[in-house]
Amino acid sequence: DIVMTQSPDSLAVSLGERATINCKSSQSVLYSSNNKNGLAWYQQKPGQPPKLLIYWASTRESGVPDRFSGSGSGTDFTLTISSLQAEDVAVYYCQQFYSSYTFGQGTKLEIK
Amino acid sequence: QVQLVQSGAEVKEPGASVKVSCKASGYTFTNYYIHWMRQAPGQGLDWMGRMNPSGTSTIYAQKFQGRLTVTREVSTSTDYMELSSLRYDDTAVYYCAREVNVGIGAVNYWGQGTRVTVSS
């Protein structure tokens, strides 16, 4: 199974500042067939199901604010929130869908 | 609009089975994969299994092999997740979710979740 490891486990960022969350896979999730990475990012707020933010590592889901962006390829990926808003406080998960499906352990994002 | 509506909370004794339903509406049911995930209290997301669009094929996470059965009832646009031989650590919120599209393994529509409590 592909193991997904996120860092850090938690972080605190000031409003308006940049937040960066990393995700590393134990093996490459790059499809040779379409040169896309089988990697998604989700946001989960308390008491709610997760919400899809990004798939194919960098494709923003419809309706997701453009302050959210995804980057990376192969085994190393990053979710960036360019200017943190109060409503972005949540737990963020990466997920690989290259070989079966596995989630990272989650990163808790708080306001400093 | 796309909706996935799950059945209500369950309390089960250890060793019993639980069956959770996920009724879909607002799209062509047989065009999309449905996944099942769970989340134990205060923990992260755990992928469990997936049903293919036609309802003819499933894949399960290895940790659930032999205990998990996912089925599809096309006539009612409903998927079912049955977990047997329940243990205390199966206590969790169980979610169904629909893939963005065939070939994209990310999910963008989620059910509301079903809380399953295993208690004697």
Side-chain angles (χ1 to χ4, degrees):
Chain A
D1 286 3
I2 298 178
V3 176
M4 307 299 290
T5 304
Q6 293 181 226
S7 62
D9 289 333
S10 64
L11 79 161
V13 175
S14 300
L15 289 174
E17 296 299 303
R18 178 184 301 258
T20 300
I21 298 170
N22 300 300
C23 176
K24 188 174 184 68
S25 58
S26 60
Q27 64 189 74
S28 175
V29 297
L30 177 64
Y31 287 96
S32 57
S33 58
N34 61 5
N35 202 37
K36 293 183 177 182
N37 291 276
L39 191 284
W41 289 97
Y42 298 85
Q43 174 195 66
Q44 188 178 31
K45 297 180 180 179
Q48 297 181 17
K51 173 187 175 183
L52 177 65
L53 299 174
I54 303 280
Y55 58 95
W56 290 138
S58 60
T59 300
R60 202 177 300 115
E61 169 70 346
S62 175
V64 172
D66 61 8
R67 64 179 180 274
F68 291 92
S69 64
S71 62
S73 184
T75 61
D76 292 279
F77 302 92
T78 301
L79 174 70
T80 301
I81 307 172
S82 59
S83 176
L84 189 71
Q85 307 298 303
E87 61 265 31
D88 300 334
V89 169
V91 178
Y92 292 83
Y93 295 93
C94 62
Q95 175 218 6
Q96 68 81 19
F97 51 89
Y98 175 83
S99 173
S100 190
Y101 308 84
T102 45
F103 289 91
Q105 81 276 17
T107 295
K108 186 175 184 178
L109 176 59
E110 299 173 313
I111 304 293
K112 186 187 293 183
Chain B
Q1 73 282 21
V2 175
Q3 278 194 305
L4 300 175
V5 178
Q6 298 182 223
S7 49
E10 302 263 13
V11 179
K12 296 291 183 181
E13 292 190 345
S17 298
V18 67
K19 192 170 186 177
V20 178
S21 67
C22 173
K23 183 172 177 60
S25 62
Y27 71 97
T28 302
F29 184 59
T30 50
N31 282 357
Y32 292 85
Y33 289 91
I34 292 281
H35 295 246
W36 290 87
M37 277 71 63
R38 75 178 186 182
Q39 188 167 37
Q43 302 301 307
L45 296 163
D46 202 4
W47 183 80
M48 300 179 70
R50 184 203 78 187
M51 170 64 75
N52 76 334
S54 61
T56 57
S57 174
T58 52
I59 61 170
Y60 302 131
Q62 191 161 6
K63 68 185 286 186
F64 298 107
Q65 292 276 359
R67 289 206 300 144
L68 176 63
T69 305
V70 173
T71 55
R72 171 162 286 196
E73 190 173 80
V74 173
S75 63
T76 60
S77 299
T78 303
D79 275 5
Y80 297 90
M81 184 283 300
E82 184 170 19
L83 189 63
S84 62
S85 302
L86 288 170
R87 308 185 288 249
Y88 292 113
D89 63 359
D90 290 318
T91 293
V93 176
Y94 289 75
Y95 293 103
C96 62
R98 196 204 79 173
E99 276 194 3
V100 172
N101 213 331
V102 173
I104 304 175
V107 291
N108 60 348
Y109 289 99
W110 294 69
Q112 81 276 21
T114 296
R115 186 172 302 276
V116 175
T117 303
V118 182
S119 174
S120 55

